Amino acid sequence: MLRQSTHIIKRSVPRTTIRIIPSRLSANTTFLLYGRPYSSATTHDFFPEATYMPSRTKDQKKQQQKQQQQQRQVSPLTKYDSITAGGSVHSDPHQRSIVKYLDRLWHDLQSYTPQTKATMSPSLVGSISKLFATPSRSKAPMSLYVYGNVGTGKTMVMDLFYDTLPIERKRRVHFHAFMLDVHARIHHIKKKYPNISNPISPLADDIVKESYVLCFDEFQVTDIADAMILRKLFTELFDRGVVLVTTSNRHPTELYKNGIQRQSFIPCIDLLMKKCDVLSLDSGTDYRKIEREQTAKPVFLHPNNAATQREIDRITRQLTHNKPLTPMTLHFLGRSLVIPEQADGVARVRFQDVCANALSAADYLEMVKHFHTIVLTDIPHMTMKHRAEARRFITLIDAMYESKTTLVASAENSMLDIFNADEGREAMDDEMRRMMDDLNVADISSPLFSGQEEAFAFQRALSRLIQMQSKDWVNKELL
């Protein structure tokens, strides 16, 4: 029988200079190390031939727990098959083919660690830290770009992927909100470092520190400022190993089509085509328009008459629990927005106030942060003469849809007839000709000038409006 012995070793010298003579030690020898704790030291470390096996370290236990947790995770494909079998979602072979790609990416990400890229940080710490940047542990998996017609389930399958992905550094965001955040961060960087020449690099560093898997819903580019930023930002993000999953109604080659200085955006499109598997989800079915169980009473009321007004007033009182409506001023991004009437998380606004005035996605996103229900009154019949108002209305609906905000509305026409892209072209043509002269553009048949963009965007908005009237969407107090 081996005798238990204890040897005391003083660590007055570096750990690499400690010398042990194996012949004088037994497999069950215990070491007491003076000095800085030798957390990983075991008998086996000093005496490899020993049959004694040390207990697992905390890191090993954590790794095993992580592996067990991953084994319990449900992958996107398994989840999709489960919910379609249960009948809560229609089984669609087109959707399932996309989910297979998402499932493959889901598994690839289990063992993926993004690379650390040395960049020209505006701070001294960043400049020093780049000297110690660690190399990439693995090559980034291919990103996914899913496009197709409205209502085909693009957002649903992306959310399935995001919700089942067992990593912490991930972000799912509507593309409007992402770009607003990007502009705000660039402003902050420039304010903090006035002489910085390239704010995109430190911006990309910050984004990757927070999330290396980015999921964008409704990826679209309509603004020249966004186009120029994205060209540089996506290059920096992909260089840092970011993985992108995005949905869009447009193929990458159709992004920012006929936009101002589009030629400068082409490198961004080429990069997307190189880094992403581009997948089409077009089943030919708009699931938002499939008959759903509607509310007992309609919440999109028309026409604008006394009866409609009385019903709007009744619904408002019901949702606000008869509390008096008061104004509220929202302060954000150095600006303010006045909501004329609100109470108990319900805002009541006129179409003229929020769609005829020069508001943007930032305003609408701020509104849905504060209110779970928006009562929008007096929606007019819109034609191409009202294309600016129609665009704002579409942006408002996008913001409400993304945040699952309830819409109660009164309109001049039914939702199917509130916008007509074939009317008002005479007034639009004069406006477009003036714009074409300013931009030196000769082709009026392009989507930018023909109204095709507005018609396409409104088709998406109409699909969402229909879904927003369903029983599983609206405020439960209205059921």
Side-chain angles (χ1 to χ4, degrees):
M1 179 180 245
L2 292 173
R3 184 168 55 109
Q4 175 72 32
S5 61
T6 300
H7 295 259
I8 300 178
I9 304 172
K10 291 186 179 180
R11 289 200 66 247
S12 58
V13 293
R15 68 194 285 181
T16 54
T17 62
I18 295 176
R19 306 181 102 156
I20 309 255
I21 303 174
S23 62
R24 297 184 59 186
L25 300 177
S26 63
N28 60 347
T29 298
T30 300
F31 297 97
L32 300 179
L33 302 182
Y34 282 176
R36 183 168 56 83
Y38 224 99
S39 60
S40 61
T42 65
T43 305
H44 196 71
D45 291 324
F46 295 114
F47 190 18
E49 295 80 12
T51 56
Y52 169 83
M53 295 300 294
S55 60
R56 291 173 299 167
T57 66
K58 289 183 178 179
D59 288 341
Q60 289 173 326
K61 288 180 180 179
K62 285 182 180 180
Q63 182 64 27
Q64 185 180 43
Q65 289 172 354
K66 183 178 179 181
Q67 291 173 351
Q68 291 173 346
Q69 183 181 13
Q70 290 176 348
Q71 291 172 358
R72 292 193 297 267
Q73 293 291 339
V74 178
S75 73
L77 187 59
T78 302
K79 184 69 173 177
Y80 181 82
D81 288 341
S82 173
I83 60 179
T84 54
S88 57
V89 172
H90 289 273
S91 180
D92 186 315
H94 300 275
Q95 289 178 356
R96 197 174 190 277
S97 67
I98 301 299
V99 175
K100 285 183 178 179
Y101 278 90
L102 291 166
D103 197 79
R104 184 188 309 162
L105 176 59
W106 185 91
H107 282 94
D108 289 343
L109 287 170
Q110 306 302 310
S111 57
Y112 173 64
T113 301
Q115 62 186 354
T116 300
K117 178 180 170 63
T119 63
M120 291 301 293
S121 170
S123 66
L124 177 61
V125 174
S127 298
I128 295 175
S129 65
K130 69 181 181 180
L131 299 175
F132 304 97
T134 57
S136 172
R137 296 188 190 176
S138 58
K139 182 180 178 182
M142 285 289 285
S143 295
L144 294 180
Y145 184 109
V146 183
Y147 76 99
N149 286 333
V150 298
T152 54
K154 299 183 299 295
T155 299
M156 186 269 291
V157 297
M158 184 186 73
D159 286 345
L160 200 65
F161 165 79
Y162 180 84
D163 292 340
T164 58
L165 186 62
I167 67 172
E168 293 183 0
R169 286 168 58 196
K170 60 180 180 177
R171 183 184 182 190
R172 191 268 191 214
V173 62
H174 191 276
F175 195 68
H176 268 321
F178 176 75
M179 288 311 300
L180 286 171
D181 181 48
V182 165
H183 285 289
R185 290 182 186 226
I186 290 175
H187 175 75
H188 175 74
I189 292 171
K190 287 182 175 179
K191 187 175 180 180
K192 189 174 182 180
Y193 306 100
N195 298 323
I196 189 171
S197 59
N198 177 24
I200 302 299
S201 183
L203 168 63
D205 287 336
D206 289 343
I207 291 174
V208 177
K209 285 177 185 176
E210 298 164 5
S211 316
Y212 63 84
V213 177
L214 296 176
C215 295
F216 295 145
D217 193 28
E218 298 290 348
F219 183 25
Q220 56 180 326
V221 185
T222 58
D223 180 85
I224 184 173
D226 289 352
M228 296 305 102
I229 289 173
L230 287 170
R231 182 188 65 178
K232 298 177 181 178
L233 180 58
F234 276 12
T235 299
E236 298 280 0
L237 291 177
F238 282 129
D239 282 350
R240 286 161 175 76
V242 162
V243 176
L244 177 68
V245 177
T246 186
T247 70
S248 180
N249 296 125
R250 303 286 194 186
H251 188 278
T253 57
E254 297 290 310
L255 290 171
Y256 198 51
K257 193 171 184 179
N258 301 109
I260 300 171
Q261 297 182 22
R262 186 177 188 263
Q263 194 62 33
S264 299
F265 185 67
I266 296 298
C268 183
I269 294 175
D270 293 340
L271 184 63
L272 287 171
M273 295 296 293
K274 177 182 178 182
K275 294 291 187 178
C276 301
D277 284 325
V278 179
L279 311 172
S280 173
L281 177 49
D282 261 337
S283 61
T285 303
D286 184 345
Y287 287 102
R288 297 181 192 138
K289 291 182 179 179
I290 290 178
E291 186 174 350
R292 297 169 180 264
E293 189 176 4
Q294 300 295 301
T295 56
K297 291 186 177 181
V299 290
F300 192 99
L301 307 168
H302 68 94
N304 274 328
N305 56 24
T308 294
Q309 182 65 41
R310 286 193 297 271
E311 182 63 10
I312 287 290
D313 291 341
R314 186 196 67 77
I315 293 174
T316 303
R317 289 193 300 269
Q318 178 182 351
L319 291 174
T320 59
H321 310 104
N322 290 312
K323 292 182 180 179
L325 300 177
T326 59
M328 174 188 282
T329 302
L330 308 180
H331 299 280
F332 58 101
L333 300 177
R335 57 193 294 184
S336 60
L337 174 65
V338 177
I339 305 299
E341 294 182 300
Q342 63 79 36
D344 251 14
V346 178
R348 179 163 168 166
V349 293
R350 298 183 309 152
F351 180 92
Q352 185 74 16
D353 295 329
V354 294
C355 296
N357 291 330
L359 301 186
S360 67
D363 299 283
Y364 304 136
L365 289 170
E366 192 67 22
M367 286 176 63
V368 299
K369 286 180 186 177
H370 291 81
F371 304 107
H372 56 73
T373 302
I374 293 178
V375 180
L376 180 63
T377 64
D378 307 310
I379 301 174
H381 176 67
M382 287 174 277
T383 68
M384 290 309 299
K385 186 170 64 175
H386 311 96
R387 64 201 300 265
E389 292 91 332
R391 277 236 169 242
R392 294 188 193 105
F393 176 72
I394 292 166
T395 304
L396 172 60
I397 296 302
D398 284 346
M400 295 180 67
Y401 184 87
E402 182 67 17
S403 61
K404 213 173 189 304
T405 302
T406 294
L407 171 67
V408 178
S410 65
E412 185 176 335
N413 301 96
S414 72
M415 68 174 67
L416 297 175
D417 299 318
I418 56 177
F419 180 77
N420 190 329
D422 295 325
E423 293 182 34
R425 290 190 175 276
E426 301 80 11
M428 189 194 77
D429 287 348
D430 291 337
E431 176 191 347
M432 290 299 99
R433 286 191 182 92
R434 288 193 295 271
M435 185 183 296
M436 290 172 66
D437 290 340
D438 292 339
L439 299 176
N440 194 26
V441 176
D443 183 14
I444 196 171
S445 65
S446 75
L448 179 64
F449 300 108
S450 66
Q452 293 176 30
E453 286 291 335
E454 283 74 15
F456 179 85
F458 210 88
Q459 180 188 9
R460 186 186 75 243
L462 177 59
S463 173
R464 292 184 162 187
L465 279 171
I466 292 172
Q467 184 179 357
M468 290 167 73
Q469 309 307 301
S470 64
K471 202 169 184 178
D472 59 354
W473 186 279
V474 301
N475 190 311
K476 298 301 181 264
E477 293 189 49
L478 295 175
L479 300 180

